PDB file of all heavy atoms in Angstrom:
ATOM      1  N   LEU Y 492     -13.431  51.964-253.393  1.00  0.00           N
ATOM      2  CA  LEU Y 492     -12.516  50.817-253.498  1.00  0.00           C
ATOM      3  C   LEU Y 492     -12.980  49.824-254.540  1.00  0.00           C
ATOM      4  O   LEU Y 492     -12.248  49.442-255.427  1.00  0.00           O
ATOM      5  CB  LEU Y 492     -12.406  50.101-252.153  1.00  0.00           C
ATOM      6  CG  LEU Y 492     -11.442  50.656-251.115  1.00  0.00           C
ATOM      7  CD1 LEU Y 492     -11.244  49.635-250.015  1.00  0.00           C
ATOM      8  CD2 LEU Y 492     -10.107  51.031-251.725  1.00  0.00           C
ATOM      9  N   PHE Y 493     -14.188  49.371-254.402  1.00  0.00           N
ATOM     10  CA  PHE Y 493     -14.762  48.476-255.412  1.00  0.00           C
ATOM     11  C   PHE Y 493     -16.261  48.316-255.216  1.00  0.00           C
ATOM     12  O   PHE Y 493     -16.801  48.717-254.189  1.00  0.00           O
ATOM     13  CB  PHE Y 493     -14.098  47.098-255.416  1.00  0.00           C
ATOM     14  CG  PHE Y 493     -13.654  46.623-254.068  1.00  0.00           C
ATOM     15  CD1 PHE Y 493     -14.569  46.152-253.142  1.00  0.00           C
ATOM     16  CD2 PHE Y 493     -12.312  46.647-253.734  1.00  0.00           C
ATOM     17  CE1 PHE Y 493     -14.158  45.718-251.890  1.00  0.00           C
ATOM     18  CE2 PHE Y 493     -11.891  46.221-252.478  1.00  0.00           C
ATOM     19  CZ  PHE Y 493     -12.810  45.755-251.568  1.00  0.00           C
ATOM     20  N   ASN Y 494     -16.887  47.755-256.235  1.00  0.00           N
ATOM     21  CA  ASN Y 494     -18.317  47.462-256.170  1.00  0.00           C
ATOM     22  C   ASN Y 494     -18.484  45.952-256.193  1.00  0.00           C
ATOM     23  O   ASN Y 494     -17.776  45.262-256.918  1.00  0.00           O
ATOM     24  CB  ASN Y 494     -19.043  48.072-257.359  1.00  0.00           C
ATOM     25  CG  ASN Y 494     -18.845  49.570-257.407  1.00  0.00           C
ATOM     26  OD1 ASN Y 494     -18.954  50.246-256.388  1.00  0.00           O
ATOM     27  ND2 ASN Y 494     -18.519  50.074-258.587  1.00  0.00           N
ATOM     28  N   ILE Y 495     -19.389  45.478-255.384  1.00  0.00           N
ATOM     29  CA  ILE Y 495     -19.609  44.034-255.362  1.00  0.00           C
ATOM     30  C   ILE Y 495     -21.015  43.737-255.874  1.00  0.00           C
ATOM     31  O   ILE Y 495     -21.995  44.332-255.410  1.00  0.00           O
ATOM     32  CB  ILE Y 495     -19.427  43.461-253.943  1.00  0.00           C
ATOM     33  CG1 ILE Y 495     -18.003  43.758-253.441  1.00  0.00           C
ATOM     34  CG2 ILE Y 495     -19.682  41.966-253.924  1.00  0.00           C
ATOM     35  CD1 ILE Y 495     -17.745  43.307-252.026  1.00  0.00           C
ATOM     36  N   ASP Y 496     -21.075  42.841-256.826  1.00  0.00           N
ATOM     37  CA  ASP Y 496     -22.358  42.420-257.375  1.00  0.00           C
ATOM     38  C   ASP Y 496     -22.999  41.425-256.410  1.00  0.00           C
ATOM     39  O   ASP Y 496     -22.425  40.373-256.124  1.00  0.00           O
ATOM     40  CB  ASP Y 496     -22.108  41.760-258.737  1.00  0.00           C
ATOM     41  CG  ASP Y 496     -23.412  41.382-259.395  1.00  0.00           C
ATOM     42  OD1 ASP Y 496     -24.479  41.700-258.832  1.00  0.00           O
ATOM     43  OD2 ASP Y 496     -23.354  40.765-260.479  1.00  0.00           O
ATOM     44  N   LEU Y 497     -24.151  41.763-255.898  1.00  0.00           N
ATOM     45  CA  LEU Y 497     -24.766  40.903-254.887  1.00  0.00           C
ATOM     46  C   LEU Y 497     -25.883  40.040-255.462  1.00  0.00           C
ATOM     47  O   LEU Y 497     -26.550  39.313-254.746  1.00  0.00           O
ATOM     48  CB  LEU Y 497     -25.319  41.752-253.736  1.00  0.00           C
ATOM     49  CG  LEU Y 497     -24.318  42.646-252.982  1.00  0.00           C
ATOM     50  CD1 LEU Y 497     -25.045  43.464-251.940  1.00  0.00           C
ATOM     51  CD2 LEU Y 497     -23.226  41.824-252.325  1.00  0.00           C
ATOM     52  N   GLU Y 498     -26.055  40.116-256.775  1.00  0.00           N
ATOM     53  CA  GLU Y 498     -27.208  39.404-257.346  1.00  0.00           C
ATOM     54  C   GLU Y 498     -27.054  37.887-257.284  1.00  0.00           C
ATOM     55  O   GLU Y 498     -28.029  37.167-257.232  1.00  0.00           O
ATOM     56  CB  GLU Y 498     -27.439  39.855-258.786  1.00  0.00           C
ATOM     57  CG  GLU Y 498     -28.408  41.020-258.835  1.00  0.00           C
ATOM     58  CD  GLU Y 498     -28.634  41.501-260.249  1.00  0.00           C
ATOM     59  OE1 GLU Y 498     -27.687  42.054-260.843  1.00  0.00           O
ATOM     60  OE2 GLU Y 498     -29.750  41.320-260.735  1.00  0.00           O
ATOM     61  N   GLY Y 499     -25.816  37.433-257.262  1.00  0.00           N
ATOM     62  CA  GLY Y 499     -25.582  35.984-257.274  1.00  0.00           C
ATOM     63  C   GLY Y 499     -25.802  35.289-255.938  1.00  0.00           C
ATOM     64  O   GLY Y 499     -25.389  34.156-255.762  1.00  0.00           O
ATOM     65  N   GLY Y 500     -26.384  35.952-254.968  1.00  0.00           N
ATOM     66  CA  GLY Y 500     -26.671  35.260-253.714  1.00  0.00           C
ATOM     67  C   GLY Y 500     -25.954  35.856-252.518  1.00  0.00           C
ATOM     68  O   GLY Y 500     -26.196  35.458-251.382  1.00  0.00           O
ATOM     69  N   LEU Y 501     -25.053  36.807-252.780  1.00  0.00           N
ATOM     70  CA  LEU Y 501     -24.412  37.468-251.647  1.00  0.00           C
ATOM     71  C   LEU Y 501     -25.376  38.491-251.068  1.00  0.00           C
ATOM     72  O   LEU Y 501     -26.264  38.984-251.766  1.00  0.00           O
ATOM     73  CB  LEU Y 501     -23.123  38.150-252.097  1.00  0.00           C
ATOM     74  CG  LEU Y 501     -22.062  37.202-252.665  1.00  0.00           C
ATOM     75  CD1 LEU Y 501     -20.883  37.983-253.191  1.00  0.00           C
ATOM     76  CD2 LEU Y 501     -21.607  36.213-251.604  1.00  0.00           C
ATOM     77  N   GLY Y 502     -25.199  38.808-249.773  1.00  0.00           N
ATOM     78  CA  GLY Y 502     -26.206  39.665-249.167  1.00  0.00           C
ATOM     79  C   GLY Y 502     -25.693  40.927-248.515  1.00  0.00           C
ATOM     80  O   GLY Y 502     -26.138  42.025-248.810  1.00  0.00           O
ATOM     81  N   MET Y 503     -24.721  40.786-247.606  1.00  0.00           N
ATOM     82  CA  MET Y 503     -24.354  41.946-246.805  1.00  0.00           C
ATOM     83  C   MET Y 503     -22.850  41.952-246.577  1.00  0.00           C
ATOM     84  O   MET Y 503     -22.267  40.915-246.284  1.00  0.00           O
ATOM     85  CB  MET Y 503     -25.085  41.872-245.467  1.00  0.00           C
ATOM     86  CG  MET Y 503     -25.033  43.153-244.691  1.00  0.00           C
ATOM     87  SD  MET Y 503     -26.131  43.114-243.253  1.00  0.00           S
ATOM     88  CE  MET Y 503     -25.340  41.920-242.223  1.00  0.00           C
ATOM     89  N   VAL Y 504     -22.241  43.129-246.735  1.00  0.00           N
ATOM     90  CA  VAL Y 504     -20.803  43.249-246.517  1.00  0.00           C
ATOM     91  C   VAL Y 504     -20.536  43.349-245.016  1.00  0.00           C
ATOM     92  O   VAL Y 504     -21.205  44.090-244.305  1.00  0.00           O
ATOM     93  CB  VAL Y 504     -20.232  44.488-247.232  1.00  0.00           C
ATOM     94  CG1 VAL Y 504     -18.736  44.602-247.009  1.00  0.00           C
ATOM     95  CG2 VAL Y 504     -20.546  44.427-248.719  1.00  0.00           C
ATOM     96  N   LEU Y 505     -19.558  42.573-244.526  1.00  0.00           N
ATOM     97  CA  LEU Y 505     -19.294  42.539-243.091  1.00  0.00           C
ATOM     98  C   LEU Y 505     -17.975  43.168-242.706  1.00  0.00           C
ATOM     99  O   LEU Y 505     -17.845  43.780-241.660  1.00  0.00           O
ATOM    100  CB  LEU Y 505     -19.321  41.090-242.591  1.00  0.00           C
ATOM    101  CG  LEU Y 505     -20.624  40.329-242.800  1.00  0.00           C
ATOM    102  CD1 LEU Y 505     -20.431  38.857-242.532  1.00  0.00           C
ATOM    103  CD2 LEU Y 505     -21.701  40.881-241.889  1.00  0.00           C
ATOM    104  N   GLY Y 506     -16.972  42.974-243.536  1.00  0.00           N
ATOM    105  CA  GLY Y 506     -15.668  43.519-243.163  1.00  0.00           C
ATOM    106  C   GLY Y 506     -14.580  43.011-244.073  1.00  0.00           C
ATOM    107  O   GLY Y 506     -14.844  42.403-245.109  1.00  0.00           O
ATOM    108  N   CYS Y 507     -13.357  43.268-243.644  1.00  0.00           N
ATOM    109  CA  CYS Y 507     -12.232  42.993-244.515  1.00  0.00           C
ATOM    110  C   CYS Y 507     -11.258  42.065-243.804  1.00  0.00           C
ATOM    111  O   CYS Y 507     -11.111  42.129-242.589  1.00  0.00           O
ATOM    112  CB  CYS Y 507     -11.623  44.347-244.853  1.00  0.00           C
ATOM    113  SG  CYS Y 507      -9.912  44.420-245.167  1.00  0.00           S
ATOM    114  N   ARG Y 508     -10.633  41.168-244.562  1.00  0.00           N
ATOM    115  CA  ARG Y 508      -9.674  40.242-243.963  1.00  0.00           C
ATOM    116  C   ARG Y 508      -8.261  40.763-244.160  1.00  0.00           C
ATOM    117  O   ARG Y 508      -8.026  41.686-244.921  1.00  0.00           O
ATOM    118  CB  ARG Y 508      -9.828  38.862-244.588  1.00  0.00           C
ATOM    119  CG  ARG Y 508     -11.177  38.257-244.333  1.00  0.00           C
ATOM    120  CD  ARG Y 508     -11.293  36.914-245.001  1.00  0.00           C
ATOM    121  NE  ARG Y 508     -10.394  35.924-244.407  1.00  0.00           N
ATOM    122  CZ  ARG Y 508     -10.285  34.677-244.860  1.00  0.00           C
ATOM    123  NH1 ARG Y 508     -10.980  34.284-245.891  1.00  0.00           N
ATOM    124  NH2 ARG Y 508      -9.458  33.833-244.290  1.00  0.00           N
ATOM    125  N   ARG Y 509      -7.315  40.095-243.482  1.00  0.00           N
ATOM    126  CA  ARG Y 509      -5.932  40.566-243.568  1.00  0.00           C
ATOM    127  C   ARG Y 509      -5.378  40.437-244.980  1.00  0.00           C
ATOM    128  O   ARG Y 509      -4.562  41.224-245.420  1.00  0.00           O
ATOM    129  CB  ARG Y 509      -5.049  39.781-242.599  1.00  0.00           C
ATOM    130  CG  ARG Y 509      -5.098  40.344-241.193  1.00  0.00           C
ATOM    131  CD  ARG Y 509      -3.935  39.828-240.396  1.00  0.00           C
ATOM    132  NE  ARG Y 509      -3.912  38.380-240.379  1.00  0.00           N
ATOM    133  CZ  ARG Y 509      -2.868  37.663-240.002  1.00  0.00           C
ATOM    134  NH1 ARG Y 509      -1.765  38.254-239.639  1.00  0.00           N
ATOM    135  NH2 ARG Y 509      -2.933  36.343-239.993  1.00  0.00           N
ATOM    136  N   ASN Y 510      -5.840  39.413-245.728  1.00  0.00           N
ATOM    137  CA  ASN Y 510      -5.332  39.231-247.088  1.00  0.00           C
ATOM    138  C   ASN Y 510      -6.056  40.120-248.107  1.00  0.00           C
ATOM    139  O   ASN Y 510      -5.846  39.992-249.302  1.00  0.00           O
ATOM    140  CB  ASN Y 510      -5.429  37.755-247.492  1.00  0.00           C
ATOM    141  CG  ASN Y 510      -6.855  37.255-247.542  1.00  0.00           C
ATOM    142  OD1 ASN Y 510      -7.808  38.030-247.389  1.00  0.00           O
ATOM    143  ND2 ASN Y 510      -7.025  35.970-247.751  1.00  0.00           N
ATOM    144  N   GLY Y 511      -6.935  40.992-247.648  1.00  0.00           N
ATOM    145  CA  GLY Y 511      -7.612  41.915-248.547  1.00  0.00           C
ATOM    146  C   GLY Y 511      -8.971  41.429-249.021  1.00  0.00           C
ATOM    147  O   GLY Y 511      -9.723  42.190-249.614  1.00  0.00           O
ATOM    148  N   ASP Y 512      -9.282  40.169-248.769  1.00  0.00           N
ATOM    149  CA  ASP Y 512     -10.600  39.660-249.148  1.00  0.00           C
ATOM    150  C   ASP Y 512     -11.693  40.346-248.321  1.00  0.00           C
ATOM    151  O   ASP Y 512     -11.430  40.861-247.242  1.00  0.00           O
ATOM    152  CB  ASP Y 512     -10.688  38.147-248.900  1.00  0.00           C
ATOM    153  CG  ASP Y 512     -10.001  37.358-250.006  1.00  0.00           C
ATOM    154  OD1 ASP Y 512      -9.325  37.998-250.829  1.00  0.00           O
ATOM    155  OD2 ASP Y 512     -10.143  36.130-250.027  1.00  0.00           O
ATOM    156  N   VAL Y 513     -12.899  40.310-248.861  1.00  0.00           N
ATOM    157  CA  VAL Y 513     -14.032  40.908-248.147  1.00  0.00           C
ATOM    158  C   VAL Y 513     -14.891  39.782-247.580  1.00  0.00           C
ATOM    159  O   VAL Y 513     -15.097  38.760-248.225  1.00  0.00           O
ATOM    160  CB  VAL Y 513     -14.877  41.775-249.108  1.00  0.00           C
ATOM    161  CG1 VAL Y 513     -16.054  42.400-248.377  1.00  0.00           C
ATOM    162  CG2 VAL Y 513     -14.015  42.859-249.728  1.00  0.00           C
ATOM    163  N   LEU Y 514     -15.339  39.971-246.347  1.00  0.00           N
ATOM    164  CA  LEU Y 514     -16.251  38.987-245.756  1.00  0.00           C
ATOM    165  C   LEU Y 514     -17.681  39.431-245.991  1.00  0.00           C
ATOM    166  O   LEU Y 514     -18.020  40.597-245.770  1.00  0.00           O
ATOM    167  CB  LEU Y 514     -15.995  38.866-244.255  1.00  0.00           C
ATOM    168  CG  LEU Y 514     -14.776  38.045-243.823  1.00  0.00           C
ATOM    169  CD1 LEU Y 514     -14.532  38.220-242.334  1.00  0.00           C
ATOM    170  CD2 LEU Y 514     -14.955  36.575-244.154  1.00  0.00           C
TER     171      LEU Y 514
END
Side-chain angles (χ1 to χ4, degrees):
Chain Y
L492 277 193
F493 34 76
N494 301 315
I495 301 177
D496 184 4
L497 301 177
E498 269 179 292
L501 299 175
M503 193 171 68
V504 180
L505 300 168
C507 150
R508 297 178 67 182
R509 276 197 304 165
N510 63 6
D512 281 10
V513 180
L514 282 170

